[in-house]
Amino acid sequence: MINKVENFDDLLGQEHLTSPSSPLRILCEKKALGHSFLFGPTGCGKTSLARIIAKKMELPFYEFNATSLKVEQLRKIFDQYKNTLEKPLIFIDEVHRLAKNQQEVLLPVMENNSVLIVGASTENPFFSLTSAIRSRSILFELYYVSNEALTILLDKTLIQTKLTCNNDAKEYLVSSSGGDARAMLTLLEFSSHLGLNITLQNIKSLRPNALSAGCSEAGVHYNLISSLIKSMRASNMNKSIYYLARLIDGGESADFIARRLVIFASEDVGNANPQALTLSTSTMTSVSKIGYPEARILLAQAVIYLSASPKSNSSYLAINKALDSLENQKILNFVELKEIGYEYKMKNWIEHNQYS
């Protein structure tokens, strides 16, 4: 459809990377950017940013996906630019899926800088890349596109395409896209085939519900459960219930959520409210037998209870300090039985059970 991103200023919602004062943009303008990996959610502009980098640095652009990339394709490009003054930019999407042999092929050209490697991933690629590649590259993180940036993008697109859209339809286009600019533009494109006047009714017929990030991707999975824990720790019941709903809506296992609540009850509530551990354990047992959809009620009850409970992490800190002391070889002598009042009561036992 629509909305070609030609330069840094065209890419909305990632100002920390595209503003004139951002390190990435400065490095590109100086043609000094090295091998880089772009990490962020879907539809945030990773591929567009890679193309902008190639254009700004005046490099030939080759685009691949790690799931279908063949080593022979890479070697052909390497040979094409061997012993030339020009070097290409090789962009690899879903870079976290690169096999070990594919990574080994990239390593020599990264070492001699005969090509510029730029990768993109919805998961942090540094967990799947070899240490040799990590040490030769920089990681840049992109974020969900804000509703404000999506609104600006939508207005620009409507002008370019000469489409009309009432306020209700515009609001739904933005709010239901979940920070995914590509999803918003895709929905707009499909809606345009139903008529040049974009209506809320047509949009909702194509997307009845707002997009959810789900929980299948490691980054989203971690961020949602982490947000739930932090909200309960802050005793913010409204936020806690919201993130619980996000987890449930994204398909997270009720058993997994319940296990994390049991851990939280001991680690963060602790002896400030010992009953919290009993309730959480009971929730875990009940959830395993009941399942969804009713399990959502039990989980909500436990989350509200834990959020409202007083907090103490003294047990968590105490055992960690004790284990740290053992790692530092601070080994103490066994407590003498007489120090704890057992000498008289266990005198005969002690006398007849000495280690030789």
Side-chain angles (χ1 to χ4, degrees), residues 60-301:
F61 184 77
Y62 295 87
E63 182 175 347
F64 298 99
N65 188 295
T67 58
S68 59
L69 177 63
K70 296 181 180 179
V71 171
E72 292 75 17
Q73 293 175 300
L74 293 175
R75 290 197 171 116
K76 185 176 180 180
I77 297 173
F78 299 160
D79 292 340
Q80 180 181 345
Y81 289 91
K82 191 175 183 179
N83 300 322
T84 66
L85 297 177
E86 188 177 39
K87 71 176 180 179
L89 187 155
I90 296 180
F91 173 69
I92 304 174
D93 200 5
E94 297 194 61
V95 71
H96 63 283
R97 299 183 184 276
L98 279 178
K100 187 176 180 182
N101 67 311
Q102 292 172 318
Q103 296 187 41
E104 290 173 348
V105 171
L106 293 176
L107 194 56
V109 294
M110 292 180 71
E111 177 70 31
N112 61 32
N113 285 311
S114 58
V115 304
L116 178 63
I117 301 296
V118 176
S121 174
T122 54
E123 300 179 18
N124 190 332
F126 270 35
F127 293 121
S128 56
L129 296 175
T130 64
S131 58
I133 288 182
R134 293 198 303 267
S135 67
R136 291 167 172 80
S137 56
I138 300 174
L139 180 68
F140 294 100
E141 184 171 4
L142 288 80
Y143 306 116
Y144 285 106
V145 183
S146 68
N147 284 355
E148 293 77 11
L150 287 177
T151 301
I152 295 172
L153 176 61
L154 178 57
D155 288 337
K156 287 183 176 181
T157 305
L158 291 172
I159 293 172
Q160 290 176 4
T161 56
K162 299 180 180 179
L163 297 172
T164 59
C165 186
N166 62 41
N167 289 335
D168 288 341
K170 286 173 62 176
E171 183 178 344
Y172 188 79
L173 272 166
V174 170
S175 62
S176 69
S177 295
D180 186 333
R182 182 171 57 240
M184 183 186 72
L185 295 178
T186 299
L187 179 57
L188 179 63
E189 182 175 7
F190 286 140
S191 300
S192 68
H193 296 303
L194 302 178
L196 296 179
N197 180 33
I198 308 299
T199 65
L200 180 61
Q201 181 181 0
N202 284 344
I203 293 173
K204 283 198 169 185
S205 69
L206 295 170
R207 183 189 288 165
N209 302 301
L211 294 181
S212 169
C215 294
S216 59
E217 294 180 1
V220 175
H221 166 87
Y222 171 80
N223 288 335
L224 286 179
I225 196 64
S226 177
S227 296
L228 171 61
I229 297 300
K230 289 175 181 176
S231 299
M232 291 193 299
R233 191 174 290 153
S235 299
N236 191 321
M237 285 180 277
N238 289 323
K239 282 189 176 181
S240 299
I241 284 293
Y242 169 76
Y243 285 114
L244 173 63
R246 285 283 304 275
L247 285 162
I248 294 172
D249 182 63
E252 187 60 80
S253 162
D255 291 331
F256 169 78
I257 299 173
R259 287 196 299 270
R260 291 305 300 261
L261 296 183
V262 172
I263 296 169
F264 180 89
S266 182
E267 179 179 332
D268 291 279
V269 176
N271 291 324
N273 180 9
Q275 181 63 25
L277 183 57
T278 303
L279 183 139
S280 299
T281 304
S282 177
T283 299
M284 182 174 64
T285 303
S286 300
V287 158
S288 67
K289 297 183 180 299
I290 295 174
Y292 287 134
E294 288 79 6
R296 76 191 191 284
I297 307 169
L298 285 72
L299 293 172
Q301 179 184 354

Side-chain angles (χ1 to χ4, degrees), residues 342-353:
Y342 281 8
E343 182 179 20
Y344 175 76
K345 293 181 181 180
M346 300 183 66
K347 183 175 180 180
N348 292 334
W349 188 92
I350 297 171
E351 289 177 349
H352 290 90
N353 291 277

